[in-house]
Amino acid sequence: MAVVGIVLIGSILMVGNFYLHLHTMPERMAHKSQKLQFEIVAVLGLLALFTHNHLFWVIGLLLAMVDLPDFGTPLRRIAGSVEKIAGDPPGDDETAMAGQSAHAAAHGPDTTKANAAKSEVKNHA
């Protein structure tokens, strides 16, 4: 009788361990490959675990397998190039904008850059 109890408890623990190991597979896949959507896959895994809705797990698995394109790097490079063309040094735009708005509030709008840009456009045309 004791042997049957030990076998029963051992088999329940092994099945539970296998279930949780299988359940966290999408999260482990996303973590190993350093995916950007790792947090979304983790949340979908938790939703699937607590709601017993397998659709969340399947979506998390598919999302862990897909490489999302990196749109941030090209957009940052474009923004830096546009700033370089405009003559502004690339850098911390928020502090520069705050300083410009404080200067404009105290002394009126600064139109020297706008006038210089207009004359530069006229010179190139």
Side-chain angles (χ1 to χ4, degrees), residues 3 14 25 32 34 46-47 52 58 74-75 80 92 96 117 124:
V3 174
M14 284 182 4
M25 185 176 64
K32 282 180 186 176
Q34 301 294 322
L46 285 174
L47 282 172
H52 302 289
V58 171
L75 289 176
D92 193 15
H124 288 292

Side-chain angles (χ1 to χ4, degrees), residues 3-93:
V3 174
V4 173
I6 291 172
V7 169
L8 182 65
I9 290 173
S11 63
I12 289 173
L13 289 176
M14 284 182 4
V15 168
N17 190 18
F18 174 73
Y19 173 74
L20 291 176
H21 186 73
L22 180 67
H23 190 77
T24 60
M25 185 176 64
E27 186 177 352
R28 286 183 284 119
M29 287 173 53
H31 184 69
K32 282 180 186 176
S33 59
Q34 301 294 322
K35 303 268 178 143
L36 295 173
Q37 64 267 29
F38 171 70
E39 289 87 8
I40 298 170
V41 172
V43 168
L44 285 171
L46 285 174
L47 282 172
L49 181 67
F50 291 125
T51 63
H52 302 289
N53 191 349
H54 303 296
L55 184 63
F56 292 130
W57 187 83
V58 171
I59 293 171
L61 182 63
L62 292 175
L63 195 58
M65 290 183 191
V66 172
D67 279 332
L68 292 178
D70 181 23
F71 293 117
T73 303
L75 289 176
R76 277 191 292 276
R77 292 183 66 195
I78 290 169
S81 298
V82 169
E83 286 177 349
K84 191 184 294 183
I85 290 170
D88 292 337
D92 193 15
D93 293 332

